[in-house]
Amino acid sequence: MVENDEARQKSWTSQKLEWLNRVSVDPRVKPGTFEVGFCIIQHANAGTGIAILSDRTISDKTGISSAEVYRHRQALKELGWITWTRGRHGLRIKPLFSRMNLMLDYLMHLREVRNVERLDAPLKRKNKSSPAMDLRATK
């Protein structure tokens, strides 16, 4: 039973890290927004997947004003990374994992672009000739 709990916790930790990795890749996510997301995912419960936090608690933990925390949290919601409901003890914030594959596709696309650029680089260097090389070729 203990091994099963450890495996489940390890799986949840891996899932949270993957979520953070994908949020960090999203070009629309600003640094402060990522920091708020980081704080939220740190508090997400393994059993429910929900973090119960207030903007003030996030502010205390990040050093970002409560007004800015609200704006960053709203941005995460609009970008499809979280959703929330209001509860008695604060916001019940749920990280959403549905965008993770989209960001993985985006990462793979960026990698393919770099590979093409690497393959094209020797051709570009080869086609660029210096004026000195042109003079030697005509003699």
Side-chain angles (χ1 to χ4, degrees):
M1 186 71 164
V2 174
E3 287 179 23
N4 195 17
D5 288 342
E6 287 176 18
R8 192 174 347 170
Q9 183 63 34
K10 196 174 202 177
S11 175
W12 175 240
T13 301
S14 296
Q15 203 173 3
K16 291 190 324 182
L17 287 172
E18 282 299 314
W19 186 88
L20 280 171
N21 285 331
R22 299 302 181 259
V23 171
S24 73
V25 170
D26 191 333
R28 304 165 303 165
V29 173
K30 295 178 180 166
T33 305
F34 177 79
E35 192 171 352
V36 168
F38 185 88
C39 184
I40 290 167
I41 200 75
Q42 279 184 311
H43 290 84
N45 180 285
T48 64
I50 294 173
I52 299 175
L53 292 164
S54 67
D55 285 346
R56 186 161 181 190
T57 300
I58 296 171
S59 175
D60 292 344
K61 293 185 177 264
T62 62
I64 299 172
S65 73
S66 292
E68 282 294 309
V69 165
Y70 173 80
R71 284 190 277 278
H72 292 307
R73 184 171 47 80
Q74 190 68 37
L76 285 168
K77 182 178 183 180
E78 289 169 5
L79 296 172
W81 289 110
I82 64 169
T83 188
W84 71 80
T85 56
R86 297 211 176 268
R88 287 189 321 202
H89 302 291
L91 296 168
R92 297 175 52 83
I93 305 170
K94 183 167 183 63
L96 301 175
F97 294 90
S98 57
R99 296 191 53 79
M100 289 177 58
N101 286 338
L102 181 62
M103 287 299 110
L104 184 58
D105 292 343
Y106 177 69
L107 275 175
M108 290 173 63
H109 168 73
L110 292 177
R111 186 176 298 137
E112 288 172 12
V113 168
R114 277 195 312 276
N115 286 338
V116 168
E117 288 172 351
R118 274 190 217 115
L119 291 173
D120 287 346
L123 294 174
K124 288 180 183 175
R125 281 193 300 253
K126 191 175 186 180
N127 292 335
K128 285 185 181 177
S129 58
S130 70
M133 290 179 71
D134 290 337
L135 290 175
R136 281 184 250 139
T138 59
K139 288 186 179 181

